[in-house]
Amino acid sequence: MRFLVFFKVLTFLLGIVALAMVFPLILAFVYGETIMVKPFLLPVSVTLILALLAALSARSIRIRFSAVDGALLVFLAWFFTSFLGAMPYQLSGFFGGFPDAVFESVSGFTTTGATTLKEVEMLPRSLLFWRGMTHWFGGMGIVVLTVALLPLLGVGGFQLLKAEAPGPDKGDKITPKITETAKILWIFYVALTALEAILLMLGGLSWFDALLHSFSTMATGGFSTRNASVAAFKSPWVEWVCTVFMLLAGLNFTLYYRLLKGKFQDIINNTETKVYGLIVLAAVSLVTLGILPGEASFGDALRLASFHVASIITTTGFAASNHNLWPPLAQGVLFFLMFIGGCSGSTAGGIKVIRHVILFKQSKNEMRRLLYRRGVFSIQINRKPARKELVYGVAGFVFLYMFLVFIVAAVTSLSGEDIFSSLNVSLITVGNIGVGLARVGPDYTFHDFPAYLKWVFSFAMIAGRLELWTAFIFFSREYWRR
């Protein structure tokens, strides 16, 4: 019974991904890219047939998932989706092998933006479009989209959304019905993507470049249609537009709903948003001062600083300049931002700002206890007392996050990479950042890493995208005893 429900939901989800492949398939016909017809048509046909058979054979099953079921289903969803997404890459012949194809697919869906390609511009337009679409679907979450459609299957979706949602507090629903919440989030996501694409076209970009860079920006992904990323366009307008929308994508999407409803006080009182803004302002100021001597004007320095700060803190991974050549102060600030990430409930990766806020406030309380032995202290988030369990959960997450970063860095260093480059690789993959410093700066790719490391990096990207718990729960004895 439960196996049939899992099969039903998974094939439904894969069917959505297969339907998305129809768009690049159409482009392949439009642009005469006949070599790309089979790489898209084959996985689309097979997957849609399976999805149709599953829908017909299990249409009467109705069930609601437990938290454990939700975790397993979400992990399997990302696993199978990544392999399905890799099929066009593998069949196209433009990638070095199956590990490269899977790495590219995982990097796309997890919105990491790291690539194994040395020459992005040699890809057919249909394949470039598919790369961008993997970002866009992965940004808001393919599972979130599935949750919006689950009533069609008679399946409850709250546990699925909790298992995938980014941030320490999973219970924030903007409407009583979880499916309505998922639909509203997608509406804002689509609207902001369309708005950015229009603004980029006003800046001189073609509809193709504008749309794909909007996909990457709103998903905080980083895939570009150019080898030099956004720097290839040499347009201050494009860089400023991308900067603004990267920062918007790094905010909690539920705030847009509250803004639309006129709940301005909720935004003013939002602790994470205020700290996020302060971090961005401080980082931009420091980076601007750091690179100012090497730039033509203060305006250029401010633009590049704002762009790269937004790119790193939101884990987008775009580049408008080679920050590997910047002075140590600027590089140090960017490296520090790799440990922070965007806001909870956003498309950004990383540890998340709110977790740093919670740990900082808890550290202050511990120091107060040394001074006032009988004092009772609580953490205030959004001007409301936070649950004690939240602190425990955040502490456990940060430990597990840094533990995985250490493990991936150690495994990478065994291949001969220097320790700083290995640490950057680890932060990039676990935090879904896409670009870092040293060996994995803007001018480098993951092409030359051994195949076994690409499998390690792929797991790290999925684990980071699922905020670790959903991926690591399967390594506990308690899970298998249930």
Side-chain angles (χ1 to χ4, degrees), residues 310-361:
S311 178
I312 297 297
I313 194 171
T314 63
T315 69
T316 304
F318 277 150
S321 176
N322 186 357
H323 53 237
N324 261 343
L325 304 178
W326 286 0
L329 172 61
Q331 290 192 35
V333 172
L334 295 182
F335 183 68
F336 171 76
L337 294 177
M338 293 172 71
F339 289 90
I340 298 178
C343 298
S344 60
S346 70
T347 59
I351 293 176
K352 302 292 188 299
V353 172
I354 191 62
R355 290 192 174 99
H356 289 284
V357 172
I358 290 171
L359 291 181
F360 175 75
K361 288 178 175 286

Side-chain angles (χ1 to χ4, degrees), residues 144-402:
V144 175
L145 177 60
T146 306
V147 166
L149 301 174
L150 280 182
L152 299 176
L153 301 178
V155 177
F158 184 54
Q159 297 302 337
L160 298 184
L161 194 60
K162 285 179 68 177
E164 190 187 48
D169 192 353
K170 310 290 189 179
D172 188 19
K173 294 191 290 184
I174 57 180
T175 63
K177 294 183 178 180
I178 196 65
T179 54
E180 291 301 318
T181 297
K183 290 175 184 176
I184 288 170
L185 292 177
W186 266 93
I187 288 171
F188 281 112
Y189 191 54
V190 171
L192 287 171
T193 303
L195 177 60
E196 185 189 359
I198 292 170
L199 291 174
L200 289 177
M201 284 190 285
L202 291 176
L205 268 61
S206 67
W207 74 267
F208 187 82
D209 287 332
L211 185 59
L212 292 194
H213 284 83
S214 297
F215 283 169
S216 291
T217 303
M218 289 312 303
T220 62
F223 277 160
S224 175
T225 58
R226 306 299 175 91
N227 294 327
S229 189
V230 178
F233 301 113
K234 299 179 181 179
S235 169
W237 171 269
V238 170
E239 291 173 19
W240 276 119
V241 169
C242 288
T243 298
V244 170
F245 279 88
M246 281 190 287
L247 293 174
L248 290 176
L251 288 169
N252 192 322
F253 270 69
T254 61
L255 293 179
Y256 297 124
Y257 179 77
R258 291 188 169 92
L259 182 65
L260 187 66
K261 289 294 184 179
K263 298 180 179 180
F264 303 109
Q265 199 63 36
D266 288 353
I267 300 171
I268 294 172
N269 293 337
N270 191 274
T271 304
E272 185 178 32
T273 302
K274 289 187 284 188
V275 174
Y276 174 68
L278 289 173
I279 292 173
V280 169
L281 287 174
V284 169
S285 300
L286 288 172
V287 174
T288 301
L289 291 174
I291 66 174
L292 185 58
E295 296 300 325
S297 66
F298 174 78
D300 289 340
L302 178 63
R303 185 185 75 252
L304 290 174
S306 301
F307 183 93
H308 281 261
V309 165
S311 178
I312 297 297
I313 194 171
T314 63
T315 69
T316 304
F318 277 150
S321 176
N322 186 357
H323 53 237
N324 261 343
L325 304 178
W326 286 0
L329 172 61
Q331 290 192 35
V333 172
L334 295 182
F335 183 68
F336 171 76
L337 294 177
M338 293 172 71
F339 289 90
I340 298 178
C343 298
S344 60
S346 70
T347 59
I351 293 176
K352 302 292 188 299
V353 172
I354 191 62
R355 290 192 174 99
H356 289 284
V357 172
I358 290 171
L359 291 181
F360 175 75
K361 288 178 175 286
Q362 182 63 21
S363 298
K364 286 179 62 177
N365 282 349
E366 293 302 322
M367 288 187 282
R368 287 172 180 165
R369 285 192 179 91
L370 292 176
L371 298 174
Y372 307 100
R373 297 286 183 176
R374 297 182 180 179
V376 177
F377 306 100
S378 64
I379 291 176
Q380 295 282 322
I381 301 294
N382 303 335
R383 296 188 179 181
K384 298 177 183 177
R387 295 177 290 106
K388 186 182 296 185
E389 294 80 6
L390 194 62
V391 179
Y392 301 149
V394 168
F397 174 87
V398 173
F399 170 80
L400 193 58
Y401 187 95
M402 297 310 299

Side-chain angles (χ1 to χ4, degrees), residues 400-413 419 423 426 430:
L400 193 58
Y401 187 95
M402 297 310 299
F403 178 75
L404 182 58
V405 166
F406 170 79
I407 292 298
V408 175
V411 173
T412 305
S413 65
I419 189 61
L423 180 58
S426 184
V430 177

